Amino acid sequence: MTKELADLLISDENILPLDEYEKMYPERELQKGAEVTRLAPSPTGFIHLGNLYSALADERAAHSTGGKFYLRIEDTDDKRKVEGAVESVIRTLRYFGLNFDEGAEIDGDGKYGPYFQRQRASIYHAFAKDLLLRDLAYPCFCTEEELTLVRAMQTENKLNIGYYGKFAKCRHLTEEEIRKNLDEGKPFVIRLKARGDASVKHTFNDRIKGEITVPENDQDVVILKSDGIPTYHFAHAVDDHFMRTTLVIRGEEWLASLPIHIELFSDLCFKMPAYAHTSSLLKIDGDTKRKLSKRKDPECSLDYYRREGYLPAAVMKYLMTVLQSNFEEWERKNPDAPYTDFKFSVAKMGKSGALFDLDKLKDVSKDEMAKLSSEEIFSFLSDWTNEFGSESDRAHFKDEGYVLRIIRLVTGDGSKKRRKDIVTASQGVRLFDYFFDDSFAPDYVYRFDAKIVNSVLEEFSKVYDPADDGGAWFSKLKDVAARCGFAAENSAYKENPDMFIGNVSDCAEIVRVAIAGSPNSPDLCTIMNILGRDRSLSRLKKAMI
């Protein structure tokens, strides 16, 4: 194609000579083996669990090798853009502890930007024009109606869908025909002039899947749309080259596009980055496994984990077990080390479907919550209530000293055996409800009749003293038990059960139901001390039948 015609097709005055772009975006000065990875979402929606899974692999691959992890926004589809999506990506990933070194709206080294694709139009135009001049691209004037008819015919005849071979009617237009269409004002796109044969296959080394077979590309895909904005295929090749990406980690659904990308890098004379295609996240559904679905599965949304209040570190540590099978063994040997100390390897990621198990995440969450100090748990729960809790929840957490006493009791902080009662913030906050009058909802279910219940509660009210330690408190409870017909010692009850209406544990259960609203609770003496004398006595009185 002549330069004059190429200038008519792409008239961008901001285009620079191609070698200028190489000077503008030089090779990064990094240590040998350092990976440069990127997360490149489209602002057409909000990121989900699969994005976080991939982003974690990107971040670990970069930072475990002394490389860079950057954020690029692929905003070429302006019609589907969702306001606030970019900010949501950054905010969400920061919540889960993933931080970018550079990129869109990130403070730091930004010399490889701009990181929004719409701001890089002249770069794409320069290289699209070069392809035109080298007869590796051409203008296509086919209308959407014509393309729709071709797809319908291909579908009906069970042919490969696309613009290729005899279906690529604009591929062989003469320069005179192109000029005539331009003079008539016909809109056009720029297509890649594919040189491959789909029946010819080559071996490609995928960093996760190993050696795979890939056909040559025969599709004349669009590289510039009618508004001059590039498609994903073309933009990503140009951007990954000039942002000096060394490793592209993406979902295996992109394997079908790999032939196009191989040809684009070849035609552009760019060194191709390494590719690593991750397996899909699966879940067990009945007797089968299936892909996690954004529509069917609430756990696919990252909002689910924030709304439920999963500890971010727990989510990330669990995802590490999904990413790398040997992480669990390492974690058992290094239970207190951060997951970032683990030697991550893309090559050791699973080649087949990765199973996501919500129950296993809950177990990890229990363990991680149990490692936090009471102050750290308070901070985490308080932050959650500020965003997702009720008005009364937020009011409760204003008294930090009171809530800290509750947390120490419920978690066993400071005791020899740390309890693991808290999985999520939403569940943890509810564990504290009975310590507040406005959320105390007792279920007064007793295993004894009203006369016995009232006798125990009345007698214990007379002797209760908040100054008593655990030993004195329990001694008084045993005296009350004996006066009300219970065995003060469990051994006595075991020897002669017919002589008593129950044992001291049964007597304690009556008091527990009255104070905590349930037959199960942490240490009852401590609960009453936290509640204080007046509230404890009030509850004993209200619980009488």
Side-chain angles (χ1 to χ4, degrees), residues 10 20 27 48 81 87 109 135 154 161 276 293 300 336 366 369 414 417 436 493 496 507 536 544:
I10 299 177
E20 286 297 313
E27 293 284 349
H48 51 78
K81 181 179 179 181
E87 294 79 6
D109 183 1
D135 199 32
Q154 291 170 334
I161 307 298
S293 166
C300 198
D336 297 320
K366 287 179 184 178
M369 289 289 278
K417 187 176 181 181
F436 302 92
Y493 182 74
N496 297 291
C507 182
S536 294
M544 294 182 185

Side-chain angles (χ1 to χ4, degrees), residues 385-403:
T385 57
N386 285 334
E387 187 170 1
F388 298 103
S390 64
E391 264 189 59
S392 62
D393 290 334
R394 290 189 285 275
H396 297 166
F397 273 78
K398 287 181 180 178
D399 189 342
E400 182 173 350
Y402 184 74
V403 175

Side-chain angles (χ1 to χ4, degrees), residues 76 79 159 185-186 198 224 228 295 330 344 505:
T76 57
K79 292 180 181 178
L159 301 172
K186 290 184 178 180
L224 284 187
R295 292 183 179 179
W330 175 88
F344 179 78
S505 298

